[in-house]
Amino acid sequence: MVTGIICAVVGVVCVVIGVLNILGNVSMLHSYHIDNLKKEDIPKFGKRVGTGMIIVGVSIIISGVSMVIAELTGNETYLLYGEIIMAIGLIIGIAITLITIKKYNKKII
């Protein structure tokens, strides 16, 4: 159960970072991801990267909650569903983030 709670907390942190990015605070990203950004692109960049982070965070929260439910009920099906949702969320969220960084920074690293 502790693992599920920790997972959910990590997800909440990702969501908070995503919201901060959407609000225009991209300072939590590595500097090389924002070095070539134009000032007028920061709001669009922040919204897209933030959306990716929120998707990642929500999928991690769902996975954590499913871990707790699986442990409380003894039904491993919840764990499987949580893992599937987390995998899909990670793929989509990371893809959105990387595509956005490539589009606005012209490179990933």
Side-chain angles (χ1 to χ4, degrees):
M1 178 144 41
V2 173
T3 305
I5 294 169
I6 291 171
C7 196
V9 169
V10 169
V12 169
V13 170
C14 289
V15 169
V16 169
I17 291 171
V19 170
L20 291 174
N21 286 332
I22 286 175
L23 295 175
N25 182 359
V26 294
S27 63
M28 291 189 187
L29 296 170
H30 289 285
S31 62
Y32 53 80
H33 290 314
I34 56 176
D35 282 345
N36 297 325
L37 283 180
K38 299 175 188 165
K39 291 282 187 195
E40 62 269 12
D41 288 339
I42 290 176
K44 292 182 278 185
F45 178 81
K47 286 180 184 174
R48 291 183 182 171
V49 169
T51 300
M53 283 297 296
I54 290 172
I55 291 170
V56 166
V58 168
S59 68
I60 294 172
I61 292 168
I62 291 170
S63 177
V65 170
S66 71
M67 285 181 199
V68 172
I69 292 171
E71 190 169 327
L72 292 175
T73 63
N75 187 346
E76 297 295 318
T77 306
Y78 291 107
L79 189 59
L80 177 63
Y81 291 150
E83 290 172 351
I84 291 169
I85 290 170
M86 185 172 70
I88 292 169
L90 287 174
I91 291 168
I92 293 170
I94 291 171
I96 290 170
T97 301
L98 292 177
I99 289 168
T100 302
I101 290 170
K102 176 103 170 95
K103 177 180 179 179
Y104 287 98
N105 197 28
K106 310 298 184 236
K107 58 184 179 178
I108 298 296
I109 295 178

